[in-house]
Amino acid sequence: DTIDRLVVKEEGVLLVNFLYGSDSPTAASKIRHCALMEMAASQALMKQIYSDRLIECAFLLLKEPKLEQLPSSELEKWLP
């Protein structure tokens, strides 16, 4: 997986990963662990690049269109 959208603004950075296909989750609690680990790694990298900005992460669940934003505390537990 990759980051599908990267929005950089003065006030912060938003990373969005699209989840689609027949096995696409319909809720944040059903997002695959590998996708969460990849998003956590991307967030950590963006924190190094944009250290002065808020980094936000979200998954766009396309099976039932819904944007699920994840708090940093949720992603941090997926870092190695």
Side-chain angles (χ1 to χ4, degrees):
D1 289 333
T2 60
I3 298 302
D4 293 300
R5 294 292 181 270
L6 173 65
V7 180
V8 179
K9 294 184 174 186
E10 287 295 320
E11 61 273 7
V13 177
L14 174 63
L15 306 169
V16 181
N17 189 0
F18 298 172
L19 299 179
Y20 50 88
S22 60
D23 62 344
S24 175
T26 56
S29 62
K30 297 185 182 204
I31 295 172
R32 294 176 298 134
H33 293 168
C34 61
L36 291 166
M37 290 171 35
E38 290 171 358
M39 183 64 86
S42 296
Q43 182 186 47
L45 178 63
M46 289 298 122
K47 282 183 177 180
Q48 291 179 14
I49 296 170
Y50 298 102
S51 59
D52 61 332
R53 299 180 196 185
L54 175 66
I55 309 298
E56 297 179 296
C57 298
F59 288 94
L60 183 58
L61 310 178
L62 294 172
K63 193 170 197 176
E64 292 180 16
K66 182 183 346 177
L67 186 66
E68 290 283 351
Q69 202 156 355
L70 298 173
S72 291
S73 60
E74 176 68 24
L75 288 173
E76 287 171 359
K77 68 183 181 184
W78 293 103
L79 288 171

